[in-house]
Amino acid sequence: MNNLDRQRDEKKFDTSSSSNLTSNYIVRAGLSAGPDLRHRNLGTDLTEHPHSSDILAEINSGKLLMVDSRRRNGLILIKRFHAEFAGPGAAVGGAFEVDSQQAIPVGDFCLVCPQSPEEIQKAFGIRRQWVRLMEQLTAKPAALERAQMVLTQFEQYLDSETVAQIPDEALALLVGVFPQTIRAARQGNDRV
């Protein structure tokens, strides 16, 4: 099987972002699925994202994937007691996500298959960098400060409309605060 045939057979998730975070599910070689696979705004409820289970099944399949490094996107992986963010270029799947319970795509989301051992090694390094960034945010002792910092980081990386659609619960699990603390930080940011 040559590379072109292999690329056609690989699955690829692509959720193109707009201000309301509608998504398209791309299955093979860039062919778009129908509008019946679109989802509504994420709001603040973790259960509202219908493609979460599809994405989670793909990353739990044992195949190592990575978040597309050419897009402003990422994946929030909800674990049992915390969440992790995998940004552009970060490895997902394989042994990383054995305890993931939900996957929330953020931004112009797309998963791709690394094509070389060097690309795999780079993806592992990038995943580690994203973990370290979240670790730095959680080092702040005050919960409201952690909540404000995670919102600020995401707003610098994505646009504020996209960040507004990320569930409070997901952001709270990223930095170890209650969802109410994220809501308070959002309200404080709105007043400034």
Side-chain angles (χ1 to χ4, degrees):
M1 178 185 282
N2 65 30
N3 280 342
L4 185 57
D5 290 337
R6 188 177 309 118
Q7 287 175 347
R8 285 185 187 137
D9 290 338
E10 292 173 347
K11 285 187 179 180
K12 180 176 168 183
F13 284 93
D14 183 351
T15 57
S16 301
S17 175
S18 67
S19 62
N20 67 357
L21 281 182
T22 59
S23 67
N24 298 318
Y25 175 64
I26 304 301
V27 180
R28 296 188 187 273
L31 301 174
S32 166
D36 57 316
L37 292 174
R38 297 200 181 272
H39 64 86
R40 60 189 183 276
N41 291 344
L42 286 174
T44 59
D45 185 1
L46 286 177
T47 62
E48 282 188 34
H49 195 284
H51 294 297
S52 179
S53 60
D54 294 336
I55 295 169
L56 189 60
E58 183 69 15
I59 63 174
N60 282 338
S61 70
K63 187 188 320 181
L64 182 69
L65 301 166
M66 66 183 213
V67 178
D68 192 337
S69 62
R70 296 169 297 185
R71 298 178 183 220
R72 286 183 162 271
N73 70 139
L75 189 62
I76 298 175
L77 295 150
I78 307 297
K79 309 281 183 148
R80 186 169 178 188
F81 297 111
H82 73 287
E84 295 177 14
F85 181 72
V92 295
F96 279 121
E97 278 39 273
V98 293
D99 60 344
S100 292
Q101 297 178 346
Q102 191 172 1
I104 301 172
V106 177
D108 187 18
F109 183 73
C110 182
L111 283 177
V112 296
C113 294
Q115 299 298 314
S116 68
E118 294 80 19
E119 197 172 26
I120 292 170
Q121 184 176 6
K122 183 177 179 183
F124 283 131
I126 292 171
R127 177 70 182 262
R128 189 172 51 239
Q129 289 174 350
W130 284 107
V131 168
R132 285 183 182 155
L133 174 63
M134 289 300 123
E135 182 182 15
Q136 289 172 358
L137 297 179
T138 59
K140 301 292 180 186
L144 187 57
E145 188 177 2
R146 292 195 306 271
Q148 290 167 335
M149 288 187 70
V150 75
L151 288 170
T152 300
Q153 284 293 324
F154 274 80
E155 286 174 358
Q156 287 176 358
Y157 172 63
L158 304 161
D159 60 86
S160 58
E161 290 177 1
T162 301
V163 175
Q165 300 303 314
I166 299 173
D168 293 336
E169 290 84 355
L171 292 170
L173 286 168
L174 283 170
V175 292
V177 300
F178 290 115
Q180 300 88 328
T181 308
I182 296 292
R183 282 192 285 279
R186 287 187 200 261
Q187 291 170 354
N189 288 348
D190 290 341
R191 289 187 216 132
V192 175

